[in-house]
């Protein structure tokens, strides 16, 4: 019996992680995890004890996060769902005709296996799927 899917994190596009961290550090008292880099972005995760918040700062002007911010402004960029079996979930996406950004899983931030599902398939929200750590 597969485990219940969970929300792993919410990805938030910011222009400056340093500026964004002030709220999480000074108001909420959260200590950020060490930064990582993926998809042309610097990524800092905030441990909430359940689903985390991932701050995404563009590392270059032509990165996907930079383009997102230019088009829509800073804000929620994606939601990451953690599933029992990523390959099986992607196979179900393909069978149902959901458009995938990543046809095969790849390595994302913090060395996790991930794949993105296109927002056209999911009500306008970019979805990241990952496996349980
Ligand atoms: Co993510």
């Amino acid at each position: 019996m597969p485990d219940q899917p969970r929300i792993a994190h919410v990805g938030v596009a910011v222009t400056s992680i340093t500026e964004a961290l002030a709220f999480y550090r000074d108001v909420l008292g959260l200590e950020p995890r060490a930064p990582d880099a993926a998809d042309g972005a610097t990524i800092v995760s905030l441990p909430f004890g359940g689903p985390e918040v991932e701050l995404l700062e563009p590392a270059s002007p032509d990165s996907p996060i930079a383009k997102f911010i230019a088009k829509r402004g800073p804000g929620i960029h994606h939601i990451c769902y953690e599933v029992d079996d990523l390959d099986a979930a992607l196979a179900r996406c393909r069978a149902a005709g959901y458009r995938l950004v990543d046809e095969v899983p790849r390595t994302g931030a913090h060395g996790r296996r991930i794949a993105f599902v296109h927002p056209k398939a999911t009500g306008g929200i970019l979805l990241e799927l990952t496996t349980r750590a």
Side-chain angles (χ1 to χ4, degrees), residues 1-8 81-86 112-113 129-133:
M1 197 65 180
D3 288 333
Q4 175 102 356
R6 285 184 294 206
I7 294 175
Y81 298 142
E82 192 178 80
V83 297
D84 211 38
D85 184 336
L86 180 57
R112 285 194 147 199
R113 281 185 88 224
L129 298 178
T130 190
T131 40
R132 254 171 253 298

Side-chain angles (χ1 to χ4, degrees), residues 28-49:
L28 300 184
L30 283 169
E31 216 26 67
R33 297 190 196 281
D36 199 0
D39 296 322
T42 304
I43 300 176
V44 164
S45 296
L46 294 150
F48 275 86

